[in-house]
Structure formats: C-alpha cells, structure tokens
Amino acid sequence: TDYETILIEIRGRVGWITLNRPEALNALNSQVMADVVDAATRFDADDGIGAIVVTGSERAFAAGADIKEMESKSGLDMLMGDHFGGWARFAAVRTPVIAAVSGYALGGGCELAMMCDIILAADTAKFGQPEINLGVIPGMGGTQRLVRAVGYYKAAELVLTGRLMDASEAERAGLVSRVVPASELLEEAGRVADTIAAKSLPSLYAAKAAMDAALETTQAEGLRFERQAFAALFDTEDQKEGMAAFREKRAPAFGNH
Ligand code: HXC
C-alpha cells in the first residue's frame, strides 16, 4: 500500500512506520493520522507481525499536531470533526509498539510517543508539551498520559511552562524507556522489536492488556484481570511449548496459538 505521509516496511516479524513529512518536521495533520492509523491497524491484524516500530527523522520524531491545519478551526469544528479520533484507534493496537524518537517529540509528537508501549530515545531527543505557548493545551492525551508517566509535578511544570526536556531528563523522569546514541537508535529499536516479535502473540496481547489495567483500573481490579489473563494463557500451545523448551533446555518455537 502506498501512503502519502509515511513510509512502511516489514522486516521479519516487525512492521516499521516512518513519519515522512520532512518539510513540516513530521507535523501530524489529518493525512498523517489517517496513514499511521491505517498502517498500524493493518500490521495489528497481521499475525505475521509481532511488533511495530514508529519513528521519524533524525531531526524530528514529530513537532506536534499541524498548527497550520488547526489554526482557523472553531471549537465546533474541533468537536464535530473528530480530528484526533483516529489516534484512539492507534493507541488501541494490541501489538506492542515501540516509538524510536530522535529530535523533536513535541505536543502531539510527544503524545504519539506516549501512545506507544516503549519509548527508545536518541540522545538528541527533545520532549515537551508546548501547546500552552499557542493558547491551548495538549489534546491527544498529553495531560493524562504525561501525568501518569512522570507524575503530576513534573508534568505540570512541562505543560504549564511549555519547557522542553532532553533525553536524559526524560529518562530520569520515567518518560523514556532507554536512551541510546543517535547513530544506534534504529538498530537498537530493531533489536528490541525483533526480541518482542519472537514471543508468543497471545502472551504479548495479554501482557499489554494487563499493564493497561494497571493504568486504568484499581489495583484490585487489575489483579483480578491479571489472574484471569494469566490463567487463559495456559490454554495456549505456546505456553506448553515455552515451558517444555525450558525443561528441555532449548529455545522455544512459538506458533502464536
Ligand atoms: C505545522 C510545523 C510544526 C507544527 C514545525 N513546523 N512544527 N508546521 N505544525 N507543529 C514547520 C515550520 O512551520 C517550518 O515550515 C518547518 O516545519 C521547520 O520548522 P522550523 O520552525 O523552521 O524549524 P526550527 O527553527 O528548527 O524549530 C523547530 C521547532 C519549531 C522548535 C520544533 O518548529 C516549533 O516550535 N514547532 C512547533 C512545536 C509545537 O508547538 N508543537 C505543538 C503543536 S500543538 P515553514 O514552511 O514554515 O518553514 C499540538 C496539539 C496536540 O501538538 C494536540 C491536538 C489537539
């Protein structure tokens, strides 16, 4: 499939999505949303794919929602147009998604990274929610996911001042899974993605869903969910294979069933 604003590639069991609007530092306009959501949902539906990487360019993961596209909109336009509704579908993808961030991840770009499961950052990465400088606030989940990721006080300082933070500050704050030298970012993202994609998909889905419950429910409910999901995996062939492989001191060969 050909997309206007992204490049896609399947390498082994990993689907790659590269944001490709260099003229606008990968600003997320409605076409980018449509393209990313379409590609991610297709990858998600493909059992041959066990991990997805989303990345941008060296200079920018994404510098935010497209300000020029939003500027003239009314409140009613924003409500009726469902301009960001697609991103909810992206965030609901069951396949593990890795954001490989180099350069700017601002506003919607930071929010897109936070919709992913793992954020690998180049040492050149810069994160922030500068919407306050535009007279608005984060609108793709930033006030919710950033607070959960880094805690209220760190998030409030970033959201209320619009200050950017570099990769090492973001890592210390808990926003970034790991920082790597910029020249190794894609290679490392590929390694992490390959590692994940070699696991059993049903267990990956269950792990993600259970961790979601940690963010979205009480601990008691989350623990009940985990217990059910854990038990359900004992009906998969991959559980038998994984445990037999351990006993037989060999690598498991998962079949995603
Ligand atoms: C549209 C953008 C853009 C954006 C950059 N560009 N960010 N276009 N929307 N978010 C365009 C610029 O207009 C310019 O095109 C080109 O990309 C290169 O950007 P420069 O500003 O010339 O580059 P530089 O001087 O290196 O500065 C980089 C930057 C700056 C610091 C990242 O571009 C910047 O501050 N961008 C906006 C960041 C931001 O406020 N993001 C939050 C957006 S609101 P031209 O053709 O003009 O030269 C948001 C809300 C999300 O994300 C929630 C949804 C409601």
Side-chain angles (χ1 to χ4, degrees):
T1 317
D2 267 351
Y3 292 106
E4 235 176 88
T5 64
I6 62 173
L7 305 170
I8 61 163
E9 198 187 336
I10 297 175
R11 276 184 237 158
R13 288 182 49 77
V14 178
W16 288 74
I17 298 174
T18 304
L19 305 176
N20 188 32
R21 278 192 81 203
E23 73 284 1
L25 300 183
N26 292 330
L28 306 168
N29 64 13
S30 42
Q31 191 60 48
V32 178
M33 179 176 77
D35 288 351
V36 171
V37 171
D38 188 81
T41 357
R42 279 165 193 270
F43 286 158
D44 198 32
D46 182 347
D47 286 354
I49 290 178
I52 297 169
V53 179
V54 179
T55 193
S57 67
E58 232 175 273
R59 195 163 160 226
F61 178 71
D66 192 310
I67 297 167
K68 293 163 192 169
E69 188 182 61
M70 288 185 289
E71 183 179 357
S72 62
K73 300 252 193 273
S74 69
L76 190 63
D77 290 335
M78 295 307 276
L79 280 172
M80 297 305 287
D82 194 25
H83 292 286
F84 305 103
W87 294 119
R89 293 201 294 284
F90 174 80
V93 157
R94 296 196 299 164
T95 309
V97 185
I98 297 159
V101 177
S102 178
Y104 295 111
L106 306 184
C110 186
E111 293 168 299
L112 175 60
M114 290 191 290
M115 289 174 205
C116 302
D117 300 295
I118 293 173
I119 303 179
L120 282 187
D123 49 16
T124 57
K126 285 204 185 310
F127 296 86
Q129 299 287 162
E131 289 91 341
I132 207 78
N133 297 327
L134 302 168
V136 293
I137 65 171
M140 281 168 52
T143 63
Q144 304 305 299
R145 292 196 176 94
L146 192 62
V147 168
R148 282 168 166 77
V150 305
Y152 181 82
Y153 297 102
K154 190 78 180 178
E157 198 232 337
L158 294 165
V159 169
L160 299 178
T161 67
R163 180 174 74 81
L164 310 190
M165 60 179 170
D166 65 18
S168 69
E169 182 181 356
E171 184 183 33
R172 271 182 274 122
L175 177 61
V176 157
S177 312
R178 200 144 50 78
V179 181
V180 299
S183 59
E184 292 165 27
L185 177 69
L186 295 183
E187 205 186 322
E188 189 56 28
R191 264 197 292 271
V192 174
D194 285 339
T195 301
I196 292 171
K199 317 296 184 199
S200 168
L201 262 183
S203 68
L204 293 172
Y205 291 163
K208 265 189 75 159
M211 288 189 287
D212 268 358
L215 293 174
E216 287 169 9
T217 66
T218 63
Q219 178 161 294
E221 262 184 82
L223 287 169
R224 274 192 292 275
F225 182 93
E226 182 192 72
R227 192 170 166 181
Q228 295 296 323
F230 179 76
L233 290 169
F234 285 73
D235 288 333
T236 64
E237 289 176 32
D238 285 339
Q239 174 265 330
K240 298 293 176 279
E241 166 61 14
M243 293 191 180
F246 173 79
R247 180 169 35 77
E248 293 161 11
K249 303 184 189 298
R250 60 174 174 83
F254 293 125
N256 301 316
H257 47 210

